[in-house]
Amino acid sequence: MSAQRHNSFQRIRDNGAFDVIVIGGGINGLGVYRELALQGLRVLLVERNDFCSGCSAAPSRMIHGGLRYLENGEFDLVRESLAERDALLRNAPHMVRPLPTTIPITSLFSGLFNAATSFLGGSGKPSNRGALPIKAGLTLYDLVTRKRRILPKHKFRSAKSTWRQWPNLTRKLLFSATYYDAWISHPERLGVELITDTEKLAPESVAVNYAELNPMDGAFSVTDREAGDQFPVTARAVVNASGAWLDEVIAQLSPQEVKPTPLVSGTKGSHLILHNPALLKALDGHMMYFENTDGRVCIVFPYLGKVLAGSTDIRVTAASRTRCEPEEMDYILASLRLIFPDVPVSEDEVVFSYSGIRPLPSSDHDFTGRISRGHFTHKIDGTVPQFCMVGGKWTTFRAFAQQTADEVLAELDEPRKRDTIDLPIGGGADYPAGDGAMARALMHEFSPSADRAEHLVQAYGARSRELMRFSVASEDDQALAADCPYTASEIRFLVQQEHVVHLSDIVLRRTDLAITGRLSLSLIDTIADLMAKDLDWNQDQMAAERATLLGELEKFHGVLLSEQEPNAKSRRMECV
């Protein structure tokens, strides 16, 4: 056990009285944890697995206003999403960056009645979106952000002009339109930064992963799932931020006779990461936002030197960990051939796949794209009232957290002390403006190579100074392997500072080694050796961690590593 984890549980043991307990360490839970703690409340967050390891680890990695939500008539959601997008561009510039987005348009008038159909209660799939409804939607997009504009206005192009910039795009298009949204490089890391910020700003609050909350004699107990120890705790209110598992947690915490109507109706979304230099070049730095043959919106954009493509939208009846199935991979690859018919794409180029369940509000819509991506809370009265967070998406996590926190504060008759709309997140604090300014400052102060400085800034922002000071003191800033941007001291910094418990925490969430296809068995062994020093693993524990990680990579991410194949490869997974 790390010293950090030991200290967290010791604080719970010393004082188990909290104002609020938050269940769930996904992005919504982490957001409301920070929001409440910064109002002066003592807050405990309990996550059953690792932070941001569920649905929050499987987003499209877009930070966006939700252009297609206009079609559903969700104007308030679009307005909120655009405001939160711009806030993240300001508050987390090391992870959230502008993303030029281009829409290939193949018709003129089609789709004019999509929004009207939705207003009238239609639940079927929309028709193809033509130039006129897209122009109207992008004009509204620009109108909403006119007062605090950060990103450029949209632009329309003729087919000829479009092909000059993207010669590989489909010859079926009549026009194209480009607008700006944003993307996030390391969503799981941003979640962890919310915790590290809270530890500094509100040290009385505690967040623990690999732990579980259970009712106990009118109060609660927290179980350390690693050591088995139990700690009695009390709270004045509970926030249920368990996402797709919301209804299960309600049933667990509520009296047996209480059986509320299900609040969550999940859909499964899968994505692929491809190593395809030709496709990466064809994108020319833009995201392509387009329709598949079934009317669902698909995306493809450059991501950390690879290409991210998605996604599916499939109803699920129960919450569970999911993976991209063969038919989903076929669906996504086929969608790419629609817009880039002359750029070969193959399943052999998929270096990583991931899938998660979107915890959407319960709905009977036939077409899953019609289900709202909005959010609301549902209060369950009791001795300890429970506030359930229903719906939401990555972009609006702060706004949802603020809304939930305000309802909890009103219940507890506590005042709001500060707003977070302009509060920097993690390495976004003291992040200098201007391209390359942070990397140049790092090189001037610590003399790393240009590539090393760029890697640190992209992953940690202004926190890279803290990491470099740690590296200088440890005298072990050597790369883990050839062409690997991570170093030994960097891994040990993450283990000591970022609530790491398992090998998978480092490989899948604290670094981008897995998702960018950089893994090898020797690299995994090197990381495990480094972690063993700080977590006091013996050989049996190291072997178990290695086996668990390899099984997880193969089963849930399509990555099969062998002694003969030094790089991560994907293969078509058979159903189990």
Side-chain angles (χ1 to χ4, degrees):
M1 180 186 295
S2 68
Q4 184 182 44
R5 183 173 179 84
H6 171 80
N7 290 338
S8 293
F9 280 108
Q10 187 60 49
R11 289 159 62 199
I12 298 173
R13 186 192 304 274
D14 291 343
N15 181 4
F18 292 89
D19 294 305
V20 183
I21 297 175
V22 177
I23 304 172
I27 191 58
N28 284 336
L30 295 174
V32 77
Y33 166 72
R34 180 185 73 152
E35 197 77 30
L36 287 166
L38 294 186
Q39 312 315 317
L41 300 184
R42 188 165 188 253
V43 187
L44 170 65
L45 182 142
V46 181
E47 164 55 42
R48 196 170 193 276
N49 296 297
D50 189 22
F51 302 120
C52 281
S53 61
C55 180
S56 296
S60 294
R61 283 164 164 74
M62 294 166 57
I63 300 295
H64 64 115
L67 179 63
R68 70 182 180 87
Y69 306 154
L70 292 172
E71 191 173 83
N72 292 346
E74 298 180 283
F75 299 110
D76 288 342
L77 176 59
V78 172
R79 186 180 296 107
E80 178 183 74
S81 298
L82 288 170
E84 294 300 316
R85 179 202 69 184
D86 290 351
L88 281 167
L89 283 165
R90 295 190 304 270
N91 296 334
H94 57 310
M95 291 191 194
V96 180
R97 302 176 182 89
L99 178 63
T101 301
T102 293
I103 309 173
I105 304 171
T106 58
S107 67
L108 184 61
F109 298 105
S110 181
L112 281 173
F113 299 105
N114 285 343
T117 300
S118 179
F119 282 134
L120 294 173
S123 61
K125 72 176 184 180
S127 59
N128 178 267
R129 291 86 170 170
L132 290 183
I134 289 173
K135 178 67 175 179
L138 292 177
T139 300
L140 280 173
Y141 229 54
D142 290 341
L143 188 64
V144 170
T145 57
R146 68 191 183 281
K147 292 183 178 179
R148 297 184 66 179
R149 186 177 307 283
I150 292 179
L151 301 176
K153 292 182 178 180
H154 79 274
K155 177 192 297 186
F156 255 69
R157 296 181 183 84
S158 67
K160 186 178 293 187
S161 177
T162 301
W163 289 323
R164 277 198 295 268
Q165 183 163 352
W166 296 281
N168 298 107
L169 266 177
T170 174
R171 261 33 194 180
K172 294 181 180 180
L173 65 81
L174 301 177
F175 311 93
S176 70
T178 295
Y179 69 101
Y180 279 77
D181 261 325
W183 69 289
I184 181 168
S185 56
H186 301 84
E188 303 93 335
R189 289 203 50 75
L190 189 140
V192 172
E193 287 192 345
L194 292 174
I195 298 173
T196 56
D197 285 352
T198 304
E199 289 171 339
K200 296 174 182 177
L201 298 171
E204 289 300 309
S205 293
V206 184
V208 287
N209 52 0
Y210 297 102
E212 193 166 359
L213 185 77
N214 290 291
M216 183 186 72
D217 300 329
F220 306 95
S221 69
V222 174
T223 302
D224 177 356
R225 298 184 66 214
E226 298 298 306
D229 298 329
Q230 289 189 323
F231 307 86
V233 293
T234 60
R236 300 159 62 195
V238 168
V239 174
N240 183 348
S242 54
W245 287 264
L246 184 85
D247 292 313
E248 292 183 18
V249 173
I250 290 173
Q252 179 185 1
L253 296 184
S254 299
Q256 291 295 323
E257 64 271 18
V258 176
K259 293 184 178 180
T261 302
L263 296 172
V264 173
S265 174
T267 69
K268 176 189 177 187
S270 294
H271 300 78
L272 307 178
I273 305 294
L274 298 98
H275 176 66
N276 185 320
L279 181 57
L280 182 63
K281 181 179 179 181
L283 290 168
D284 193 32
H286 282 232
M287 180 173 85
M288 293 294 160
Y289 183 87
F290 61 101
E291 294 173 54
N292 208 333
T293 54
D294 60 358
R296 300 184 192 281
V297 171
C298 293
I299 59 168
V300 56
F301 66 94
Y303 178 75
L304 301 179
K306 300 295 190 292
V307 174
L308 187 155
S311 71
T312 56
D313 197 10
I314 302 169
R315 275 193 185 275
V316 295
T317 57
S320 65
R321 189 164 182 187
T322 62
R323 66 181 186 181
C324 179
E325 299 293 351
E327 58 272 20
E328 293 179 274
M329 183 182 293
D330 291 341
Y331 176 91
I332 296 171
L333 294 177
S335 76
L336 299 178
R337 298 182 186 110
L338 291 176
I339 58 166
F340 289 112
D342 299 327
V343 179
V345 292
S346 165
E347 66 184 65
D348 294 333
E349 297 165 338
V350 178
V351 298
F352 192 83
S353 63
Y354 64 91
S355 184
I357 296 177
R358 305 177 183 96
L360 305 179
S362 186
S363 169
D364 58 1
H365 276 306
D366 298 327
F367 184 71
T368 53
R370 294 285 194 194
I371 302 176
S372 174
R373 266 51 174 178
H375 53 77
F376 63 90
T377 60
H378 175 80
K379 181 185 174 187
I380 299 176
D381 291 318
T383 305
V384 180
Q386 181 183 165
F387 294 83
C388 303
M389 300 180 74
V390 183
K393 63 194 188 85
W394 245 99
T395 304
T396 57
F397 81 85
R398 192 214 64 85
F400 194 9
Q402 176 178 288
Q403 172 194 332
T404 307
D406 284 342
E407 293 179 21
V408 173
L409 290 169
E411 174 73 22
L412 302 182
D413 195 24
E414 298 282 355
R416 171 171 282 277
K417 295 182 177 179
R418 66 182 303 177
D419 199 351
T420 55
I421 186 67
D422 292 314
L423 182 65
I425 298 173
D430 301 319
Y431 189 86
D435 292 341
M438 186 72 233
R440 289 192 297 271
L442 207 63
M443 292 169 67
H444 176 74
E445 187 172 352
F446 297 100
S447 302
S449 69
D451 288 345
R452 174 75 176 142
E454 185 63 23
H455 158 72
L456 292 172
V457 170
Q458 295 294 315
Y460 311 104
R463 280 190 72 213
S464 54
R465 287 194 177 94
E466 181 184 352
L467 193 152
M468 280 304 302
R469 285 192 289 268
F470 179 92
S471 297
V472 169
S474 67
E475 299 181 345
D476 192 11
D477 201 36
Q478 299 301 309
L480 298 177
D483 299 322
C484 177
Y486 292 89
T487 68
S489 59
E490 188 173 352
I491 296 300
R492 297 196 67 187
F493 175 86
L494 297 176
V495 172
Q496 293 179 26
Q497 300 292 326
E498 295 194 349
H499 300 274
V500 170
V501 176
H502 292 295
L503 183 59
S504 61
D505 301 341
I506 286 287
V507 171
L508 289 170
R509 288 174 288 279
R510 305 303 187 275
T511 72
D512 57 31
L513 288 168
I515 199 169
T516 55
R518 290 193 179 104
L519 285 182
S520 66
L521 290 178
S522 61
L523 182 57
I524 288 173
D525 289 339
T526 298
I527 295 172
D529 285 338
L530 290 167
M531 294 179 66
K533 296 176 182 178
D534 287 300
L535 300 179
D536 197 27
W537 291 344
N538 58 33
Q539 289 298 318
D540 289 342
Q541 288 172 299
M542 289 176 61
E545 290 285 338
R546 185 183 195 264
T548 298
L549 172 62
L550 292 178
E552 188 173 0
L553 286 168
E554 182 176 354
K555 182 174 182 180
F556 294 109
H557 302 292
V559 176
L560 179 63
L561 299 177
S562 68
E563 299 293 347
Q564 290 75 33
E565 295 283 351
N567 297 314
K569 300 291 182 183
S570 70
R571 67 177 177 90
R572 185 176 293 260
M573 302 297 297
E574 298 300 327
C575 295
V576 295

